[in-house]
Structures are given as structure tokens and as C-alpha cells.
Amino acid sequence: MRAVSPNQTLQTTALINEAYLRLVDADVPWRDRAHFYAVCAQAMRRILVDGARARGSVKRGGGRVHVQLEEWLATTPERDRDLLALDDALADLAAAEPRKSRVVELRYFGGLSVEETAEVLKVSPQTVMRDWNAAKLWLLRALDRRTGQEAKEGP
Amino acid sequence: MTPEGDGRVESLCLEALARRVDERVAFLDEACAGDPELRRRVEVLLARAGGFLETPAWEAAPPLKVGARLGAYEIEGEIGSGGMGEVYRARDTRLERTVAIKVLPRAFGGDPERRARFEREAKTIAGLNHPHICTLHDIGDHEGTVFLVMELLAGETLAEHLRKGPLPLEQALTVATHIAEALAAAHRQGIIHRDLKPANVMLTKAGAKLLDFGLAKLKRHGAQPEGADAPSAPTLSATLTGERTIVGTLQYMAPEQLEGRPVDARTDIFAFGAVLHEMLTGRKAFDGQSHASLMSAILTAHPPAISSVEPASPPALDHVVQRCLAKDPEDRWQNAGDLVIELKWIAAAGAEPAAAVRSRKAARVLQAAVAVLALALVASLAVNWMSRRMSPAPPRPVQFTVVPPAPYVLSTLDVPALSPDGTKLAFTARPPDGPSALFERELDSLEVREIAGTSGASSPFWSPDGERLGFFSNRKLKTVTLSGASPATLADGYCCGTWGRDGVILFTGSGPSVRDRRTFRISSEGGLAAEVGHLDASRSERLHQWPVLLPDGRHFLYFSRSGRPDVQGIYEASLSSGETKRVMSAASHVVFVPPGYLLFRLQGRLMVQAYDWRQSRVTGEPIQVAEMVAGADQTAYNAATFAAAPDALAYIPGTATPSTLTWLDRRGTRLGSVGDPGEYYSPQLSPDERTLAVGRYDLATDSRDIWLFDLTRGGAPSRFTFDPADDMNPAWSPDGTRIAFTSARSGQRDIYEKTVGGPGEERLLLSSGTDKHVEYASPDGRMLLFNVIPESGRQEIWALPLVSGGKPFALLRGPADTQSSPLSPDGKFIAYHSSESGRYEIFIQALASGRRWPISIGGGMTPQWRPDGRELFYIAGSRLMAVDITMAGGRVEAGVPHALFEAPFWRGGRNVFVPSRDGRRFLAILQPEQTASRSITVELNWMSRLKQ
């Protein structure tokens, strides 16, 4: 089974369905659909996070990671920081509640629907929704702690 | 707040999220009773959590930076951030010119249907080419980012300018005239701006220019029904910070927009009035502290007269503005062109009040003259904002073809319609894996336009003035204007409408029983449907269909299907007396062309015959007009695919080169064919794979029958069913001794069974008032699956237990049509396709638990199991897809679908291919190589043939 490298054309600007269809047409010998989706989501996450990290390290003269993102897409330093913080928080969540972390990875980085995520993780859609909501709250709390702020008060 | 408090807030938030949105308020009321601080904290967290991570990571589009390239365009800088996305200044590197580029929201990249629709709109807007409309040069697509390339304008927006105060009268009139001219040009092409406001008007050296034409339509997201013009609802509901955002969008909206009613060109005129008021007075026409008070002002308040705020302004302008701002669209200027004339008069007459009075009077006279002229030209048009040319096209040579735009393909089972004046053609077409839509083409232009809001449409028919279309969708009778505006659902209906001069519509009704297919009448404005005439069971009348109103509006023709050949045929009836008279025998419907001709299909040929409707009799002999016209599905539709009007004829030619039954291997290599070319449907292999049962349509008898091919010996097929009515959808019993099938022999489609071999005994398995179509037998032979369309209008799968006294029961009921449903070899799962997502997709469902798994991605139809159950095959577009399936413990694990090969599969019927037992070969119904998609042949001047 071919491993997915960043050089596989998983274009970040294309919706994952389009990328998927291209792979399907190229007769990639995926046999396990769940594995395929999980790998795609992980690859997306890695590409985006590596890109954010590389942009942050350029200033410090760090070695440049070959970033597959279209070079002309500029992100703001704030967005990069947010993404890296989310990635860290997600890693922490994986240690405590691995399935919740996978739900976030599949949905946020993989763009999967609730039903598709349920299929991949082999649980019911209701379980996915519960995990999703709980994970969101967990991550919000973790991110708030990180930035040392309380939840913003309303207007 | 304490950690314990935090935890409580979180757990309440979690519980609230687990509830439906409409239940959350009640839940919070109870859980936070007496603790408003707690409630507030929960709500704040809810608001944050609600949107958090909901947009996938890569979709939150970061802006473009200088030097970025979008195809041939290089970004030079940012101009501003409009409501629709970022706007940049860019250089076209090919043409060496500077342009403005607007990047559209990400959602556009993904949905091909929305994209296609948007591109069609953009093409029309680009064609506007008007000095006061910002030119749209191009639409681009770079790696999924859709962007518009527009003329780069130097200047400021009217909104910015108005911040400094009102405009001087002369300038206001000039700008207003420019805007009105732009609106007039756009409205003539059927485009409404919908979002006219000072921020969308640029003041340049060359005058005012209108921006963002028609784009406001794109602000709708998913849930909005097509054709409905709701006010920018997403902006309203996605409440961001503060009231200002919401109020800003509403300010120039017309009352009908606020109320969610259909909009048309007069909506733009209302907005224009508000803009003109503001230009002259420096104040907004309608204002409010909150959006509620603003809406109330728009709906009920009247802005002060201009001359009361600016005494120097001519009284004539008061009238203009007031008429623009009339609450009822009927009371406004009906036509931007009239506005232009009026404004120019006022400007020419100078700014003095005395002169203004003179000019106002003169303007009124001119207005009246224009109105009279308009009336003379435009006769009975109700709404004249779409002023198209009404004179018929100059005589032209003979024939041409009309095809729907790719990827749409003509619906093979539907009938096109010509407008009464013979200048426009309406027809339905569908994309490979989706529902049909209505298209329109003016015969003297090359453009085929899709009509918005007509998903699932069939059986279109024109209003007498040719401005509206009636059609049927999801078993409902609907009407719509050609631009997709004013959609209305009138009643339940099956098909076949006719629209009379006094707003009367006759149509064939729908209901659970085929006996509900008789003629009803309803007003085109809506109301109750009333029955017209009734079926005479004593004469074996099964249904009435295809009513056609005659010129006096009081008589009409219709087709009656009956078991008795001397009864079946065309009748003329009186709406008032209910009397009917048989006109002639017929196998399918007629079309009436004034002054007195009937067109009908006879043995595949299109014939015309003179008809004296006052005397209800045909005269002379039928004359052939065209050869080989296709027949639409016989019993359900009783129609042939043609339309006629004075001097225009449209028909779908019959299949001259029909399909073939071809064996293919997994790589798509053709291995050989079975039998001769013909029109085949719904094949199924016997369990031992030695015999093929397949439906076949015979043009000579205009009916379908089931034939059997002996695959081991080859040779000619043998006929299996002999009844003159349609027999179709063969389903083998698992022991290969019997075939169940659908037959229309008693009028409605019932289920029969016949033994194979020997004399063949036939017996009726299930008869009922509703049409039923056989699907497949269960692997253990104990049940037969079939589909029906019940009152809900959505097709369902039912099961008939094959034991004596077995009562059928519903097996699968989905939110959309569910069809094509073979059971897995172990009988525990069922595969099917459903159009609930808007496109046909494949699902597998466990019968015991009802749990289901989506299988296809990007569309799929007509699934078939490999007999050992380890693979599922289906069609996606023109590809044969295969999916590995593992079933264990009541669960399905599906692999990733992959395409095996591409082939020109036939479309239609329960299934178009069958796999061999080992899954290594497929027998498929293929279109012949050279067949392009079907087309409509249009003939002009056909009536000259009658003068012989």
C-alpha cells in the first residue's frame, strides 16, 4: 500500500472529495476506506501544520521544510499561531481521549461529515456528535489556558 | 469563577449542544433558573463553541498577497473587502491591463451544480456590456478558488460620497439617470440586481457604474429553496457584532424582499427610489434604531417628499421618488426605461419649479403616450418588465437542433412544449446523477437557459402570453416565470397541463390511484382544484390525460385510456356542460394548433390532421409531418415527444440506432454482444446464468415485452410475454423456474408471475390502484420487492411475501426517491440509490436494524451485488464502479469505490447492467458509439406543407 507523502497531490485548496476522486481515478489500491480517510486527514493536518511552523521558523533562519501549500497563499502570523496551538492542544487531547481527538482530526482536517466520521471510527453518529461537542469544549478550555485568558465576556 | 463553576458551565453547554437548537432555550430556562449569571456564561460559551472548528481547516481562506498569481492574473494589492469576499487590484499578464479581481467564498469551488449555475449567470451579466454597468471580463478558477475579473474603476462609491452630504440636483439627476439606464439594460436581459445600494454604485469620470450585478443572488446558502428570493438571510441569521451590520444590509430592500416574497425588476426600482432620495436629501429614505424598526419603516412608513426637505428640488422629482417607493410593486414604475425618460425630462426642463411643473405635465403626456404604445405592442402581458421582442422571427430555413447545455441530457421520457406564438421552446433535461430541470430557448437565439427553481421538473406547458411556464415536480403542479421568479405551487398534479386565456389551467391530477389521473381545473393564481368530468368505469375508462384547451377557452380535448379499443382515444369536452364527444381513436395524446389542426403520433410517425373544433370532428386525411418520433413511456405518460405551435414544430426523433446488449470484462474490453440492437431495459440473468431475461420495446407495436435469450446456445431470443400492453422489469425467482414482472394490461401497473419453459402459466400476484414496478426477488425466494409512488410523491420500496394471503408491506421509505434495490445474497442487507442529497447516491441498509452506510461518493446509481456478496457494483456517470464489501455482525464495511471502466451506458429502467457470478464480466445495455446525447429537432414553417 502506498504511503501518502506530502508530494501526493492533496491540494489544500481542493475540497477533499475532489482530491479523493482523483486518487480513485488513478486506481490507487486502497482497500480499507476507513484507513484511506484517516490517512488523508492526517496528511492534511501535517501539511497545514508544517507549513505554519516553517513560516514561523524562516525568520530564525531554520531549515525550510518543503511546503506543499501553494506558495502564494499568505496566512497571517496570527492564523499560524492559532493553528500550531490547536495542533498542540489536539495532541494533548489525544493522550487523554484518543477517540475525541480523532473525531476532530477527521472532521476539521479531513472535512468529513458526521456520518462519514461514524463510518470511519465504527461508532454511531450520535457518539460522534457527543465526542465532537465535548472535544470542542475541551479544546476551547485548553486554548484559553494557553493564552492565559478567561473566556471572552459578551458585548 | 471557580473551577467548579467552570465545570458546571461546560457541562451545561455540552447538554445544550446535545439538544436541537429549538429545544435549547427551554433547556436553559430550566437549568439556569434563578441564576442569570450562569445562564449568560453558558450562552457565551455556546456561542463560541457553536462555530468553533466547524469550517474545515483549509477552507478558512487566507487572503492573497501581492505577487500571488491566479492563472494569468497577478495580484498587485488589496482594494477592499466587500460583503462577498476580498477585492484586489490585479494585472492581466496577457493583455497587459489592470483589472479588479473579486474572490468568491470557498463554497463555490465544491458544488459543480452551483458553479455551473453561477457561471451561466455570470455569462449573461458579462454580456450586458453597458457604459454604466461595471464590466465583467472573466470568471476564473484557480485550484478551486473561483474569482471574478472586472473592470477596475477609479473613483469613490456613492456611499462614500454621500457621507459628505447630499449631491447637487444636477449631479443627482445625472447619476440617477445612469443607474436607471443600467437597470433598464439589465432588466431587458432578465437580470435583476437585487442589492442596489449606494455602496454598489461607483462614481467615475465616465459617470456612475453599477457593481455586483446579480451577485446578491449568490448570497443564498444551502437551505434556501431555489427561485425563492429571501433577503440576504445568512447575513441576518449569522448575527455578528452589533446591530449596524444587520441594519446596513436591509436599508434599501423592498417590502417584498423583506417578506420573502418573489422579487422582480420592480424590486430594483424600489431600491433605486431609496437611493435617489438619499442622493437628493442626504438622508436615508428609511431608517431605524434596530432592524425591527427599520423593517417596520420600510413596510409601512412613507419618507417625506423631497421638496419638503430640499425646497429647491422640482416637484416632479417628488412624484418620481414616491412612485418608486410604492409599497405594492404594482403601483411603482413598472419599467426602468420609463424612469429614464422621466428623469431626462426633469433634467432637460431645468431646476426651476415653474419649468418643473411644465415638464411634469409634459412628462405625464409622454408617459401616457409611451404607455399606450407599450400596451399596443405588448397586448395582454401582465408584467412588462421583461420586454422581449414579440414579433415572430422572420421566416427561416427549415430545421435545426436544440440540445441542453452539458452535462445535461434530454429527459427521454418527457415532452417538450412550444409557446403559443411559436417563438419559445421549453423542455426538461437532467445531469447524469441528478434531478431534471426546465430549460428554455427562444427559437431566434442560440442560448439555452436553465430556469431556476425547477428541480425535478417534467411536463412543461406555457401560459398564453408565453411569459410563464407551468410544470410538474414531485407530484405537484407549479408555475414559474422564465427568470425563475414568482414560483408558485398550485396543487397536487401528475402531469399534462394546459393554460387558457382567462387564467384557467387544466391538468391531470395525481393521487395514490391511477384512477386519480383525470382532469382538474384551477386558476393560475391559485385556489382549489376542481374536478372536470369523470372516468366512466362502465366503458372501462382507466384514466384521462393530456387536456388541451381550445381557442374559446370553454372546450378542451383530452386522451382517454380504456381497455376497450372503441373507447380509447381523443375526446372533446365542454367545461360548462360536461358533455364529451369522441373525436378519434388514438394510442397517445394530441396537440392542438390553431386555427384547427391536431398533431399526433401514429406508429412512430408524427401526423397532422385538420380538425374543426366547433363541430368536434376531424376532416380530410392525416398527413405525415415527421418520421420516427420517439414515444414517451406508454402507460404512464401516453405521450409522444413532440410539441407544435403555429409554424414551429419540435420533436425528439425516435431511436434510429438503438442500444446493444454487450458483454464487457473488468477492464471494459468488449467481449461480444447478445442479440440484435434494439431498445432494451432492465436485464437480469437467471441464477444459472444460462438465460437472460430483458425488457424490449417494439416500435411497431409501440409496446414493451419481456424476451429471453438462451446464452448457451445463442440464436434468436424467444418472447416471454405476449400481452399488447407493456410487460417489463423481469425478476427471476432464485430457483430459476419463474419470472415476476410488471404488466400494464389492466390499465395500472400490476405484478404478475409466469413459469419459464413449457406453456408458461401466468398468474396475478398483486393488483392495486397504484402503479407498482417489480424490483428483485429476495435470495430465499420468499419475498418479491417492488417500488411504488404513494401520496407523499416519493418512491418507496415494498415487499410482497410470496405466500398465499401474503400482504405487502413497506420496506424502505426515504426522504427522497428510493429505487433500484437488490438484496444482498444473504438477504440481510439491501442496496439502493436515493436522491436525498440532490444527487443519486448509493446506500446499503441493514434490514434488521435500519442502519445504513453511504457507499458512493460523487454520485452513483443502479447498484448490483456480485452474487457472492463480496463486491457491489454501480454506475457513476459513465463509469462502472466497484466496491469491496465485508459484512459482519450486522455491519457493513465498504472499501473505497474504484472505477473499473468507462462505457456509454444506456440510461433508464431499473438497471442497465448485470454482473456475472464471478464478477469478472458484465452484461450491459450500451448506447451505440456514435450517438450524441439526444436532441430536439425544431422545424419552422412546417405548416406550409399543409397547403398542398
Side-chain angles (χ1 to χ4, degrees), chain A residues 11-18 20-21 24-25 30-31 33 36-37 44 48 70-75 79 86 104 108-111 115 119 122-123 132-134 136-137 139-141 143-144 151-154, chain B residues 10 13-14 17 40-41 44-45 48-50 52-65 68-70 106 109-110 142-144 851-855 857 879 884 891 893-899:
Chain A
Q11 301 184 17
T12 55
T13 51
L15 292 180
I16 194 148
N17 282 347
E18 290 182 8
Y20 158 78
L21 280 175
V24 164
D25 281 348
W30 300 107
R31 274 298 174 252
R33 183 193 187 84
F36 174 79
Y37 275 148
M44 295 290 293
L48 290 170
E70 280 63 21
E71 297 282 350
W72 50 266
L73 269 182
T75 62
R79 296 175 92 109
L86 177 67
V104 173
Y108 182 64
F109 290 103
E115 215 171 46
E119 191 201 323
K122 307 194 198 320
V123 295
W132 175 241
N133 289 331
K136 285 206 285 185
L137 291 177
L139 289 169
L140 276 174
R141 185 164 23 100
L143 289 172
D144 287 345
K152 270 208 161 62
E153 304 298 325
Chain B
E10 245 185 57
C13 186
L14 199 56
L17 283 172
R40 194 187 62 84
R41 292 184 67 93
V44 165
L45 186 56
R48 286 182 77 204
F52 185 50
L53 299 185
E54 285 298 329
T55 317
W58 67 88
E59 271 192 21
L64 302 177
K65 66 177 180 199
R69 294 277 295 232
L70 282 172
R106 287 287 157 163
H142 185 82
E143 313 270 9
R851 172 125 184 244
R852 68 172 195 176
W853 294 265
I855 299 297
I857 295 183
R879 291 179 300 186
D884 291 323
R891 299 229 318 245
E893 285 180 21
V896 168
H898 50 282

Side-chain angles (χ1 to χ4, degrees), chain A residues 107 114 129-130 132-134 136-137, chain B residues 9-33 38-40 42-52 54:
Chain A
R107 297 210 70 218
V114 172
M129 274 311 292
R130 274 196 300 270
W132 175 241
N133 289 331
K136 285 206 285 185
L137 291 177
Chain B
V9 170
E10 245 185 57
S11 71
L12 281 179
C13 186
L14 199 56
E15 284 192 65
L17 283 172
R19 282 170 170 66
R20 286 207 331 253
V21 181
D22 49 334
E23 291 170 347
R24 282 183 198 164
V25 173
F27 165 70
L28 288 180
D29 283 343
E30 216 189 289
C32 305
L38 173 65
R39 172 134 182 184
R40 194 187 62 84
V42 173
E43 283 181 339
V44 165
L45 186 56
L46 256 181
R48 286 182 77 204
F52 185 50
E54 285 298 329

Side-chain angles (χ1 to χ4, degrees), chain B residues 701-725:
Chain B
T701 60
D702 203 5
S703 74
R704 291 199 241 158
D705 280 297
I706 298 173
W707 292 70
L708 299 181
F709 284 85
D710 184 329
L711 297 175
T712 51
R713 269 186 310 189
S718 60
R719 210 188 225 259
F720 186 64
T721 59
F722 294 86
D723 194 281

Side-chain angles (χ1 to χ4, degrees), chain A residues 55-108:
Chain A
R55 281 186 290 277
S57 74
V58 164
K59 276 193 221 140
R60 294 192 290 271
R64 286 190 58 131
V65 172
H66 183 50
V67 176
Q68 282 305 120
L69 280 178
E70 280 63 21
E71 297 282 350
W72 50 266
L73 269 182
T75 62
T76 63
E78 290 78 32
R79 296 175 92 109
D80 282 350
R81 269 204 299 275
D82 285 347
L83 186 60
L84 292 174
L86 177 67
D87 187 52
D88 281 350
L90 200 54
D92 288 343
L93 178 59
E97 307 246 26
R99 197 179 66 205
K100 292 191 171 74
S101 159
R102 293 196 66 202
V103 167
V104 173
E105 190 175 67
L106 287 169
R107 297 210 70 218
Y108 182 64

Side-chain angles (χ1 to χ4, degrees), chain B residues 214-229:
Chain B
L215 287 186
K217 212 164 149 203
L218 302 171
K219 282 191 190 148
R220 276 179 285 129
H221 295 196
Q224 302 284 353
E226 293 176 35
D229 290 296

